[in-house]
Amino acid sequence: MNINVFLGVVSFAVWSTLSTWLYVNYIKVFDTDSQKELVMLPKKAAEVTSMAAEDKSAAEVPMPIELTKTFTFHINTADMIHPGAVKQFADSLQPLLAGRKVDMSITGYTCDLGTEAYNMKLGLSRANYVMTALKASTIDWPALTFTSQGEANPLVPNTSELNRIKNRRVTILISSKP
């Protein structure tokens, strides 16, 4: 028998044994979909109705929502890079926030170019721009307020123009309880 054929047969046998052992002992443990069905099967009819009632009550209670959205701006202005983004964002939130109490904070930021005082004012202008755009949407917002961090708390270090663009932003934090 040729040595190459012999080594091929031995390699296949070892690989088959090892892969079967790995599947049975490790990989199958992570196959949760098939095991989930087996674990959750009720044994009595009463358990079925009990489980259905639990699932229905869990579905009726809306979960709390926490969202963060960031909008970017051109240098030295309150002009957004994507002007329609706030309206698009607000429109996408409408079905999600219907009938909920909403808490929101709007914070404006700048890059490190300019004086600290100027950047605080620019951050306020950017936050005000986003707040005005949100108020123009069809959602009944709570009393919206806004703040500025200016050049403080950059998202990324102001070491390149690309990073500075990322730091010229307004961040909206939304939390909602049912």
Side-chain angles (χ1 to χ4, degrees):
M1 189 167 173
N2 186 351
I3 189 74
N4 289 336
V5 173
F6 175 75
L7 288 175
V9 170
V10 170
S11 297
F12 177 76
V14 170
W15 174 80
S16 298
T17 305
L18 181 62
S19 63
T20 303
W21 179 82
L22 281 171
Y23 176 76
V24 169
N25 291 304
Y26 291 101
I27 298 172
K28 193 173 181 183
V29 172
F30 297 112
D31 186 12
T32 57
D33 290 337
S34 61
Q35 290 180 6
K36 188 178 187 182
E37 303 253 344
L38 295 174
V39 171
M40 295 185 70
L41 286 176
K43 295 180 181 175
K44 299 177 187 172
E47 289 180 29
V48 172
T49 54
S50 168
M51 287 176 64
E54 288 174 13
D55 286 348
K56 186 177 179 183
S57 64
E60 291 174 1
V61 178
M63 298 296 293
I65 298 172
E66 291 190 13
L67 298 170
T68 302
K69 179 66 177 164
T70 301
F71 302 100
T72 53
F73 290 77
H74 291 289
I75 188 169
N76 204 26
T77 68
D79 296 333
M80 291 183 58
I81 292 176
H82 304 286
V86 177
K87 181 183 179 336
Q88 199 173 30
F89 175 68
D91 290 346
S92 69
L93 286 179
Q94 190 168 13
L96 187 65
L97 298 178
R100 293 173 167 264
K101 181 182 178 215
V102 177
D103 294 318
M104 180 183 304
S105 71
I106 304 170
T107 308
Y109 300 88
T110 66
C111 64
D112 63 342
L113 301 176
T115 66
E116 202 170 311
Y118 177 78
N119 285 338
M120 285 298 284
K121 288 179 186 175
L122 182 57
L124 277 174
S125 296
R126 290 174 175 171
N128 185 38
Y129 176 89
V130 170
M131 183 187 72
T132 303
L134 285 172
K135 283 184 176 179
S137 71
T138 57
I139 296 178
D140 185 23
W141 297 103
L144 296 176
T145 58
F146 58 95
T147 61
S148 174
Q149 292 285 317
E151 61 190 66
N153 301 317
L155 192 61
V156 292
N158 286 300
T159 55
S160 68
E161 185 54 31
L162 183 61
N163 282 1
R164 285 186 178 101
I165 291 170
K166 292 176 185 177
N167 288 329
R168 297 177 199 131
R169 69 193 193 280
V170 168
T171 300
I172 301 174
L173 300 172
I174 299 175
S175 61
S176 175
K177 296 182 179 142

